[in-house]
Amino acid sequence: MLRENLERNFGFILHDVARLLRTTYDRRVRDLDLTRSQWWVLTHLFRKDGITQSELAEILELEKPSLGRLLDRLESKGWVRRMEDPKDRRAKRVFLTESAQEPMQVMREVAAGVREDALSGLSTADQDRFVDVLLTIKTNLMGESNGASKGNGKANGTGTGNGQGGR
């Protein structure tokens, strides 16, 4: 059995960095009285306001009833509203409200600060290259989810054959 160096495995590192980004952000937005699930919903609506509730559930990898309860709480705060889709009466579209604009501004500023802190010590060129590499990885994996896998598909997770711990 090949024992790879998990300290250099980009999958583990990426997972740890994502977890640290989320927990740091959680701490910094605590005063907004939002759960992680709620701020994640708001952030995705900021990204794509007016998305259907079903599309939002799929993006967030949530069951529709779970998302419905989250949206109920955000509606009670006055931060989102659901409206029937004019083209499909069965579908509900979800929108940020005017009341959500101020907390969204705070959330975006906090997010910018977290990203700035996370990337400190990297040159602007290194930051741009880092984002480009992440986008390439995302594109590669999105292609695989559409059946365009290029890897060897080994179940043992080594896959690279370079002895460098999956880098």
Side-chain angles (χ1 to χ4, degrees):
M1 171 187 225
L2 177 65
R3 299 278 305 173
E4 64 180 301
N5 177 3
L6 297 180
E7 299 298 318
R8 301 288 303 168
N9 179 296
F10 87 90
F12 278 89
I13 295 167
L14 193 58
H15 183 272
D16 285 346
V17 169
R19 178 184 52 78
L20 289 167
L21 286 168
R22 287 189 307 269
T23 57
T24 300
Y25 185 82
D26 282 345
R27 255 191 334 273
R28 293 184 187 182
V29 297
R30 189 175 299 142
D31 291 344
L32 291 176
D33 192 33
L34 287 171
T35 66
R36 179 178 295 169
S37 297
Q38 289 172 336
W39 65 249
W40 201 231
V41 167
L42 292 172
T43 298
H44 278 283
L45 290 174
F46 178 79
R47 186 178 186 191
K48 193 169 182 183
D49 202 26
I51 191 171
T52 68
Q53 193 166 327
S54 293
E55 291 168 327
L56 186 57
E58 185 176 326
I59 290 167
L60 296 172
E61 297 179 336
L62 290 173
E63 295 296 324
K64 291 176 188 177
S66 298
L67 177 60
R69 287 187 297 276
L70 280 169
L71 292 173
D72 289 344
R73 287 192 289 277
L74 291 169
E75 272 185 323
S76 72
K77 290 181 180 197
W79 290 0
V80 301
R81 67 178 170 19
R82 289 178 268 197
M83 298 177 61
E84 282 188 10
D85 185 323
K87 297 176 185 166
D88 181 355
R89 291 183 326 173
R90 298 167 300 166
K92 298 270 189 204
R93 295 210 168 263
V94 187
F95 297 89
L96 292 172
T97 65
E98 188 62 37
S99 299
Q101 297 311 308
E102 185 178 328
M104 283 305 306
Q105 182 63 38
V106 171
M107 290 169 58
R108 301 312 316 143
E109 289 169 5
V110 169
V114 170
R115 286 191 308 273
E116 183 179 334
D117 291 348
L119 297 172
S120 68
L122 296 176
S123 69
T124 301
D126 284 345
Q127 290 178 29
D128 289 343
R129 179 72 183 130
F130 173 67
V131 171
D132 290 343
V133 168
L134 289 175
L135 289 170
T136 298
I137 292 168
K138 180 180 177 181
T139 299
N140 291 345
L141 295 174
M142 288 175 71
E144 182 174 310
S145 71
N146 295 326
S149 175
K150 298 176 191 171
N152 65 13
K154 289 184 180 178
N156 67 10
T158 57
T160 63
N162 67 8
Q164 297 297 310
R167 291 190 314 191

